[in-house]
Amino acid sequence: MTGRIVIVGYGMAGARLATELHARPGDHKVTVLGAEPHRAYNRIMLSTLLAGKVDEADVELTDLAGQGADVRTGTAVTAIDRAARTVRTTTGEQIGYDHLVLATGSRAVVPPLAGLDVDRLPDRVVPFRTLDDCRRILAAVRDARTVLVLGGGLLGLEAARGLAARGLDVHVVHPVGHLMERQLDPAAGAVLAGTLARLGVRTHLGVSATGVAVSPDGVRLDLADGRVLDADLLVLACGVRPDTALAAAAGLTVERGVVVDERLRTDDPHVSAIGDCAQHDGVVGGLVAPAWAQARVVARLLTGEDTRDRYRPPPGVTRLKAAGIDLAAMGELPPPGVAHAPAGDDGAARCEELTFADPTRGTYARVRITDDRLTGAILLGDNPAVGTVIQLFDRGSPVPADRRALLLGRTVDPPGGAEPVASPALMPDATTVCRCNAVSKADLVGCWRAGARSVADVVTATRAGTGCGSCRDAVAGIVEWLSGVDPVEVTR
Amino acid sequence: MTDGARAATTPGRTPHEAATHCPYCALQCGMLLSERDGRIEVLPRDFPTNRGGLCQKGWTAAELLDHPERLTTPLLRGPDGRLAPATWAEAYARIVTGIRDTQAAHGRDAVAIFGGGGLTNEKAYALGRFARVALRTRMIDYNGRFCMSSAAAAGMRAFGIDRGLPFPLADLGRADTLLLVGANPAETMPPLARYLTEQRERGGRLIVVDPRVTATARLADLHLQPLPGTDLAVANALLHVALTEGWVDREYVAARTEGFDAVRRIAAGWWPARAERLSGVPVADLEEAARALGTARTAIILTARGAEQHAKGVDTVSAFVNLALALGLPGRPGSGYGCLTGQGNGQGGREHGQKADQLPGYRRIDDPAAREHVAAVWGVHPDELPGPGVSAYELLDLLGTPTGPKTLLVFGSNPVVSAPRAARVERRLRDLDLLVVADFLLSETAAIADVVLPTAQWAEEDGTMTNLEGRVLRRRALREPPPGIRTDLRILADLSAALNAPSAPAAEVVAGDPSYPFLPSRGPLQPPDAPADADPRVVFAELRRASAGGAADYAGVTWERIDAADGVFWPCPDTDGPDTPRLFAERFATPSGRARFHPVEHRPAAEEVCAEYPFYLTTGRVLAQYQSGTQTRRVGALRRAAPEPFVELHPDLAARLGVEEGEELRVTSRRGEMRAPARITATIRPDTLFAPFHWGGAGRVNSVTNDALDPVSRMPEFKVCAVRVEKVTP
């Protein structure tokens, strides 16, 4: 099969592809070129790193250096020569490939703000994207008390939550009227803002920033409504942009990302692209699950394990889970109000929506069901069925007949079999009291009728309570009831 | 509970009592058997495992002693194809001729042995010796491969030793947090639940991981209900949380373990939301479980068949062992990792040589030093010992094939019901030239045998069993076997003699030497004409020598010592030295003395659901039945409590299928189908079906299960496969 495989980029996607290739047999030689100087690390844990709960070693991922793969960190690719099938690196080397995989990821967007030189950010203004960014943020907050986060999307809120966990006073500035507008509706955004407030994160919504001023004492952010916010540090979380410069320079088709087909191939059959830098079916990445699914497909194709494998985008699930915040958002949710299509018998899709909101306790749930399948959901706060909801959405399985289970938990009704009842008198005769020895209430009553008059008598005769022992209170209760009721009633 | 026609014990010895243990599961509850006027009564004893409790199986165990279906004479399959009574001489002649013919035509390995985890230590040991010395075949394995082999392999690679619980059971009752993974003791070993009750009454937290809301899950403070086959991801996510929350015991990891960095990096890739999506277990529950384990003063993690019976069972157990090690549990008083062994002698049965790769004392058969030691005990040259054979399912799947065994002897097992892909295994068994089954009832496997040998039951034999704690116990005979019935040891000794196999010198020496220090004088229960190595005391004495110096060292265990102290925990190398209730206090049994982390990644089940087979099937047990049901299906009270197989399904799925409670369902996989009535319950995931495996015939769920094997333990994937389900319309 393909002999020399060169992966450009050693982030979540590139490292995963190297692992997937390593796990498969074949005599392919894998070279990974990572611009960052670090071993592979888990970007998802960076907010935990910001929170100070782990150190850098804890965010390292399984690394193939020394296990057959040639992993070169601190080595960026400067050019691709597609005709010669080589890449040139910052170390001046030329490395030949039989197949090249671009996994260059994305870069943080630095917004055009008055007073900010995009190419020379001051120490007090740091984007939140890489491990080095985290180091800069952590260096800057050592003596800080107040932090501004520009951007109320997923990344901005993760940064805000991490920094708030250090005891910092955190303000999030977001130009849209509610938080995480790509995933949440306004009501959910409002509940989330309330949750953040309880965690020490204040939000300033519907207002854009216009300028930045940095002084030795701090950083000042000018807002469009005339307000001015002062802080020790400004964290930029204004989105990311696919890193396509290398691909564009090599003449590959680039739109928002490097355009790939369902085999993750660019328009050069010897070049693939995966992860945040790739654009498949008009969609650019940003989440780990699709990037890893792509890595798997490429590995299967390149090693010949399954040459007919094709990339099918996994359903998109956004999950924000940090101490005090539990948010899951997935699928399509039309704006509230237009959600209820008629439950038609005219062949149109039958749509339902379940909603629940308890803003005081920070709980919000909205689940959309189309033709008995879960097609969208926002779950915020304490939603015990969140795992079930995600699996139903992922797998397209039919939703529970009793829809309450989606909001309230796994099982609504008590499981079948014997459940405690208030009085033995109300217990059906056939109820099993002692499972270990298959003793029913009727057996205990029969034993009483036959002359047993104490718990010990009943236990000896029926063996109730002699197994796991957990029914001994129930047996005693029934004996007590039997000794208290009219014998006629018992023998009725 | 006899038919009253015949005294239960020899005249002159009545009334009689025997303090023994239940014949069924690995809990080995203490019980007192007493015989009065021909009736045998069972009473629970206050023993450390059962504290005076017994489940219905134990209470009714004696009903099989004089059961009308009990085999009382050897059976030979005649030219008419039917089994008919025969004498022992005829049966032995048929077996010995068959063995000789098979080996002459196809070589030594063409005769195979299949053992069982319910056999006493003496029998398991004698079976291994019989295979290696009398038959000189490498083809021996046993049904324990279908039981706890995955936990055994994971325990070996982490701790250097495999003892189900490395601490006494009583520790469970005092643990602050107890995590049970794929374990349902409230159903499978009910008296153990007394410890769970105690634990909760002391304020401890019980967490259960199971795809079903089992009787045990209902006792739990927190129940994680993952998709079958995703336990490994759950374990890695729990470790991830422990890392991010700072609950990893860094000091312990540095001082007592090795290999953590590789495991830490894998755990870094298992943030809880990833495991949630795969398993369906909410992140909040994963965090809560990790917190309960990570912040507890004492915590115990136990796995059982639910986690282990997978094609990735060893790695799944390793993931939970990794978690236990990262939290600093193993070797810390009151804490640790353990496996709940299933079969009565599941522990001892895997230590003394009925495993394909093993010699007594948990020695490896490919270790030259081990071969030399054991060969010396057996009076043979080490080069004469065969090498490792193949695992249970591989052995069964070779039977009757051109390169496979042509003759098989089965002791204490019923693979026609209990093996995966059972219809195929049944065909293989039928393809044999000679199938010999030793049993006391006509099991489904015995029913297709060429020779059936009637054997003694538990109340008619002496010996030792090693329970789930590694506690060596005494099985004590109440009475002699009925006339015409022989013990397994006697059968092996007779066949050895008939094959002119060398008798172990140890047996001769100890039998002939009344001063042999560990051997009590022969008792009245051994018939005077029986060969010396049919005497369990003689065999045990030899076992002790063979195990001496091995991982499972029984050299210091004597029957008297067991009698004096509620059992003896191995390893126990010296008769005047201590036994070992708790392992790992100072060091682990690895060369470095440190426990080894093992980096393990989740991988999908061998068979995932698809359009054609859209549901998961998982299998398990019910309270009133045991294993393949040969015994318990013949006990009236148990049959009434659990009369027939069933398929458990969620009400939503039942509604979509249009099935009512009790209507017949057909469950089909790529390997076969089963039919059984529907049992509709909300305690199961809507995407999963459950069926118990205690029945043969049309209701045999193992016709459906997957024979994909774990690459290390060779455990079949009983716990998950893809099926479709439909209503059977009459």
Side-chain angles (χ1 to χ4, degrees), chain A residues 85-320:
Chain A
R85 289 194 205 148
T86 59
V87 295
R88 183 182 294 279
T89 71
T90 43
T91 55
E93 262 184 295
Q94 285 210 354
I95 300 170
Y97 66 80
D98 296 304
H99 197 93
L100 182 71
V101 183
L102 299 175
T104 48
S106 52
R107 290 174 185 273
V109 170
V110 177
L113 294 174
L116 200 61
D117 179 351
V118 170
D119 296 318
R120 293 179 49 133
L121 292 178
D123 287 349
R124 289 186 186 276
V125 180
V126 189
F128 176 53
R129 173 70 189 159
T130 65
L131 184 55
D132 282 335
D133 293 337
C134 270
R135 288 178 175 175
R136 280 191 282 273
I137 292 171
L138 290 172
V141 299
R142 207 162 289 145
D143 305 309
R145 284 179 29 237
T146 307
V147 179
L148 292 172
V149 176
L150 187 56
L154 181 64
L155 213 56
L157 297 186
E158 284 190 343
R161 175 68 197 111
L163 292 167
R166 302 184 79 92
L168 293 162
D169 188 11
V170 180
H171 294 251
V172 173
V173 177
H174 190 52
V176 185
H178 69 276
L179 294 168
M180 289 182 68
E181 74 282 355
R182 284 173 61 190
Q183 293 91 6
L184 302 186
D185 59 26
V191 173
L192 179 58
T195 301
L196 286 166
R198 282 189 290 277
L199 296 169
V201 177
R202 271 183 278 179
T203 44
H204 307 270
L205 299 173
V207 58
S208 31
T210 53
V212 177
V214 177
S215 71
D217 297 331
V219 58
R220 153 183 292 207
L221 190 66
D222 299 322
L223 303 186
D225 61 5
R227 278 187 297 157
V228 169
L229 298 174
D230 286 303
D232 299 303
L233 172 71
L234 171 63
V235 174
L236 301 176
C238 305
V240 294
R241 187 172 292 139
D243 193 343
T244 57
L246 203 55
L252 297 167
T253 302
V254 171
E255 293 173 4
R256 280 187 301 144
V258 184
V259 174
V260 295
D261 61 15
E262 58 185 4
R263 292 182 298 172
L264 287 321
R265 294 274 163 89
T266 64
D267 42 19
D268 179 338
H270 298 284
V271 183
S272 304
I274 62 171
D276 285 8
C277 74
Q279 176 182 324
H280 169 266
D281 199 18
V283 176
V284 291
L287 295 171
V288 176
W292 284 11
Q294 291 170 352
R296 183 177 154 82
V297 171
V298 169
R300 288 164 65 94
L301 292 172
L302 290 183
T303 57
E305 180 182 280
D306 181 357
T307 54
R308 287 185 297 186
D309 200 15
R310 298 292 181 266
Y311 172 64
R312 304 268 175 272
V317 178
T318 301
R319 195 78 173 89
L320 171 58

Side-chain angles (χ1 to χ4, degrees), chain A residues 12 16 39 42 44-45 48 53-63 288-289 292 296 314-317 319 321-323 326 328 383-388 390-391 393-395 397-402 410-411 413-419 435-438 459-460 463 465-470 472, chain B residues 1 42 44 50 52-57 59-60 186-187 190-194 197 201 213 215 218-219 223-225 227 240 243-246 250 262 264-271 273-274 276-285 287 601 604 608-609 616 623 637 641 652 656 681-683 685 687:
Chain A
M12 296 290 274
R16 182 69 176 188
R39 333 173 38 121
N42 181 357
I44 287 178
M45 292 177 79
T48 314
K53 297 171 95 171
V54 295
D55 58 34
E56 286 188 12
D58 294 325
V59 306
E60 285 174 1
L61 287 170
T62 299
D63 190 303
V288 176
W292 284 11
R296 183 177 154 82
V317 178
R319 195 78 173 89
K321 183 71 184 76
D326 193 336
N383 285 289
V386 61
T388 306
I390 289 174
Q391 285 204 323
F393 175 70
D394 249 355
R395 293 162 185 263
S397 315
V399 295
D402 186 339
R410 286 187 292 258
T411 44
D413 298 308
E419 288 301 309
R435 290 184 64 259
C436 299
N437 282 289
V459 166
T460 303
R463 299 167 183 165
T466 61
C468 72
S470 64
R472 60 197 172 196
Chain B
M1 301 199 182
V42 173
N50 59 315
L54 276 188
C55 76
Q56 201 176 10
K57 296 191 291 282
W59 277 110
T60 57
E187 193 100 20
L192 186 146
R194 289 166 180 248
T197 305
E201 282 174 353
V213 188
R218 284 187 215 181
L219 302 174
H223 174 209
L224 314 183
Q225 198 174 358
L227 192 69
H240 180 103
L243 272 165
T244 57
E245 296 299 324
R250 305 270 178 175
R264 177 173 53 83
R265 291 191 190 111
I266 283 183
W270 280 99
W271 59 97
R274 187 179 167 208
E276 170 187 72
R277 199 164 173 182
L278 200 67
S279 67
V281 177
V283 172
D285 288 354
E287 290 179 344
E601 269 291 0
E608 281 289 320
V609 293
Y616 297 95
L623 194 151
D652 285 356
R656 287 207 300 283
T681 170
T683 58
R685 295 174 54 108
D687 53 12

Side-chain angles (χ1 to χ4, degrees), chain B residues 604-615:
Chain B
E607 189 174 72
E608 281 289 320
V609 293
C610 59
E612 200 180 346
Y613 300 100
F615 298 102

